[in-house]
């Protein structure tokens, strides 16, 4: 089984590859890709009220659920756009990287949230440091929440 550290490392690599392709002009998002990204943003609103991650004052259920919600949203987004989500651990993103690679990178963290939720529902708790890292990946300055700022198209 992949460790969370492996997933997070892969997520950042795949995310970075797609952003680099866009910033270098090798990937220019289509109107559909722009709209899908707007829909993802709307569907994953963390409702943190401007607080910075980690959200330690929130319940475990809310924290893990917030991360896990990304997985379902990204699966729907991938289906809507006809992109295939790919495993990121132990794999390199294809070049030129684009929407499929971007979504796959983010999905790796959301999918981990789903695994944590199953563990939590069975009475277990994930490592708090890992949950905090996932929250930081998804929310706050320089995170997925700020994704639109990284595109120049």
């Amino acid at each position: 089984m992949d460790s969370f550290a492996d997933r997070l490392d892969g997520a950042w690599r795949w995310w970075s590859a797609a952003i680099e392709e866009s910033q270098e002009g090798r990937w220019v998002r289509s109107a559909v890709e722009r709209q899908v990204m707007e829909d993802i943003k709307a569907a994953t609103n963390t409702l943190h009220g401007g607080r910075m991650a980690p959200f330690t004052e929130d319940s475990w259920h809310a924290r893990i659920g917030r991360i896990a919600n990304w997985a379902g949203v990204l699966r729907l987004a991938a289906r809507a756009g006809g992109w295939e989500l790919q495993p990121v651990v132990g794999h390199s993103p294809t070049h030129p990287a684009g929407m499929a690679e971007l979504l796959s990178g983010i999905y790796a963290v959301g999918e981990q949230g789903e695994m944590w939720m199953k563990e939590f529902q069975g009475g277990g708790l994930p490592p708090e440091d890992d949950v905090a890292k996932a929250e930081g990946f998804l929310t706050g300055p320089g995170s997925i929440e700020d994704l639109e700022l990284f595109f120049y198209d």
Side-chain angles (χ1 to χ4, degrees):
M1 177 159 38
D2 304 325
S3 73
F4 174 68
D6 293 335
R7 281 177 171 274
L8 188 60
D9 180 57
W12 278 119
R13 280 187 296 108
W14 283 57
W15 178 88
S16 296
I19 296 301
E20 181 180 325
E21 296 289 337
S22 175
Q23 290 178 346
E24 295 295 323
R26 293 183 294 268
W27 170 36
V28 177
R29 295 178 303 159
S30 69
V32 168
E33 291 168 332
R34 283 188 190 91
Q35 185 58 57
V36 165
M37 290 177 84
E38 286 297 317
D39 292 342
I40 290 170
K41 182 178 177 180
T44 57
N45 183 348
T46 60
L47 303 173
H48 56 67
R51 295 177 293 142
M52 296 295 292
F55 304 112
T56 55
E57 63 279 2
D58 293 348
S59 71
W60 276 104
H61 189 267
R63 292 179 74 189
I64 298 168
R66 196 179 283 134
I67 297 164
N69 284 344
W70 280 83
V73 169
L74 292 168
R75 284 191 297 267
L76 288 170
R79 281 187 204 113
W83 303 290
E84 184 176 337
L85 295 173
Q86 304 161 49
V88 301
V89 176
H91 301 278
S92 295
T94 57
H95 292 285
M99 193 68 163
E101 290 73 23
L102 178 68
L103 296 179
S104 294
I106 302 167
Y107 179 72
V109 175
E111 185 180 39
Q112 180 69 58
E114 287 184 325
M115 290 186 271
W116 286 336
M117 185 55 78
K118 286 179 185 172
E119 179 183 338
F120 178 70
Q121 290 171 336
L125 288 176
E128 186 164 4
D129 187 52
D130 288 352
V131 172
K133 288 176 184 174
E135 289 171 328
F137 176 80
L138 297 169
T139 61
S143 71
I144 303 307
E145 186 175 50
D146 283 346
L147 190 57
E148 198 60 37
L149 301 175
F150 293 96
F151 290 96
Y152 306 145
D153 53 12

